[in-house]
Amino acid sequence: MQSFVENVQIYEQPKENGRFLKSISFAIPVYYNDKEFTTIAFVEDAIMDALKVFQMI
């Protein structure tokens, strides 16, 4: 797993909604809906898309 994940950023304290991840950067590209990603930022609009990407991995 360490060779796949390059960097994980977390909040010091969990947010009100319980979220603690800021972003995950990957060492290799991740593809979803014909788009290439190397970083997934966990902002409100992107949470569901990010979870779909992880289910595919």
Side-chain angles (χ1 to χ4, degrees):
M1 192 63 137
Q2 289 177 326
S3 60
F4 181 69
V5 176
E6 188 172 289
N7 185 19
V8 176
Q9 293 186 354
I10 61 172
Y11 294 106
E12 289 184 25
Q13 297 292 323
K15 295 293 183 181
E16 290 179 6
N17 61 6
R19 184 170 27 116
F20 59 92
L21 286 174
K22 285 184 184 179
S23 66
I24 299 176
S25 297
F26 299 98
I28 60 173
V30 176
Y31 294 90
Y32 177 69
N33 280 343
D34 297 326
K35 294 179 183 177
E36 180 180 309
F37 299 92
T38 54
T39 300
I40 297 177
F42 291 93
V43 294
E44 295 300 321
D45 295 339
I47 291 174
M48 292 309 295
D49 286 340
L51 291 174
K52 291 177 187 174
V53 169
F54 285 122
Q55 289 176 345
M56 296 171 52
I57 296 174

